[in-house]
Amino acid sequence: MAATLLVLNGPNLNLLGTREPGPYGTAPLDAIESDLADAFPAVAFSFRQSNGEGALVDHLHTAHEQARGGVVFNPGGYTHTSVALRDAVAAIDPPVVEVHLSNVHAREDFRRTSRIAPACVGQITGLGATGYHLATRYLLDA
Ligand code: DQA
């Protein structure tokens, strides 16, 4: 049976392509998603993006039933603030890999802390869209 994975992106990541190309590159989110689907044709991906914390919590809850293979999660700015998202990651069974396009450790001090990463199986940061591919590879092998 095909592995089912959720690729979940948080606030402002819908603006990729035009948003701050320095740290985030020029690829739009839909191109990142279609490249991922092309690279892993045997995986049944769900791609979701929301700017709202509650909607992201709801997507993680849904993943508990519908993305048993795991979640590739870029929480955007909520990474550094959200207890609710950390608790949602901790509450579900599927493994969650936190991904950041930019190297959060090489930027402002406030980006160095993730409230969510301690509840994840791991974090990939600074490798651009390749991070989503590496997280997928990990989840397929896990
Ligand atoms: C980000 C890093 C976060 O600090 C920032 O708020 C984002 C994007 C990244 O992918 O590099 O929105 O998660």
Side-chain angles (χ1 to χ4, degrees), residues 100-123:
H100 301 284
L101 293 157
S102 66
N103 180 354
V104 290
H105 300 291
R107 301 180 63 197
E108 300 96 329
D109 281 352
F110 69 84
R111 292 187 205 276
R112 291 189 182 157
T113 301
S114 170
R115 285 225 156 125
I116 297 167
C120 296
V121 289
Q123 183 196 55

Side-chain angles (χ1 to χ4, degrees), residues 11 13 19 24 74 76-77 79-80 99-102 104 107 111:
L13 293 163
R19 174 196 183 199
Y24 303 128
N74 184 344
T79 303
H80 318 294
V99 169
H100 301 284
L101 293 157
S102 66
V104 290
R107 301 180 63 197
R111 292 187 205 276

Side-chain angles (χ1 to χ4, degrees), residues 15 43 86 102 123 132:
L15 300 180
V43 175
R86 178 209 181 107
S102 66
Q123 183 196 55
Y132 292 82

Side-chain angles (χ1 to χ4, degrees), residues 78-92:
Y78 287 134
T79 303
H80 318 294
T81 62
S82 180
V83 175
L85 287 173
R86 178 209 181 107
D87 288 350
V89 168
I92 65 172

Side-chain angles (χ1 to χ4, degrees), residues 13-60:
L13 293 163
N14 55 312
L15 300 180
L16 287 176
T18 55
R19 174 196 183 199
E20 298 185 78
Y24 303 128
T26 54
L29 184 57
D30 59 358
I32 292 173
E33 292 172 345
S34 61
D35 283 354
L36 198 57
D38 289 348
F40 295 95
V43 175
F45 286 106
S46 291
F47 295 107
R48 299 284 183 270
Q49 187 276 331
S50 179
N51 294 318
E53 193 175 17
L56 293 166
V57 169
D58 289 340
H59 286 309
L60 289 166

